[in-house]
Amino acid sequence: MEPGLYEQVADEGLETALKALVGRYQAQRLDEGDSHAVLAEHIAHLLTQALRRQPAQDRLNQQVQLCNRLIRVLSESDAARTARCADAAD
């Protein structure tokens, strides 16, 4: 296998870097059947980095606060989707 980025999610940062390599890379869309797993793994990696970067002083509290904010965002998104599905079912 040739050197490269395999199974790597092309987020905004990577997309910007790849634009400089016009014609020197191949990208494929995520398969909808397993996109949830690939994206969840990507988010887990980003979250791990963010948690690690929290200031040493009061680190655990900062990490918990960050996780709680993320959980709220996910809950709000899921609640909105659930509400739309319930409305459609009525």
Side-chain angles (χ1 to χ4, degrees):
M1 189 176 281
E2 292 187 40
L5 301 170
Y6 298 94
E7 301 295 322
Q8 179 78 31
V9 173
D11 58 18
E12 290 177 359
L14 183 55
E15 280 284 330
T16 300
L18 289 174
K19 285 180 182 176
L21 302 174
V22 175
R24 297 179 51 199
Y25 73 93
Q26 278 186 319
Q28 295 178 347
R29 293 186 55 79
L30 286 173
D31 179 87
E32 289 185 22
D34 63 356
S35 60
H36 63 284
V38 173
L39 292 170
E41 185 177 319
H42 182 63
I43 294 297
H45 175 73
L46 295 174
L47 179 58
T48 299
Q49 290 178 336
L51 292 172
R52 187 177 296 130
R53 286 192 304 263
Q54 295 304 302
Q57 184 172 350
D58 200 31
R59 175 173 281 162
L60 179 58
N61 185 47
Q62 295 293 323
Q63 291 171 332
V64 169
Q65 287 182 25
L66 177 58
C67 287
N68 285 337
R69 287 196 312 267
L70 180 56
I71 290 167
R72 277 194 300 277
V73 168
L74 294 171
S75 295
E76 290 166 4
S77 174
D78 196 40
R81 183 175 319 285
T82 301
R84 283 195 305 271
C85 290
D87 288 344
D90 291 337

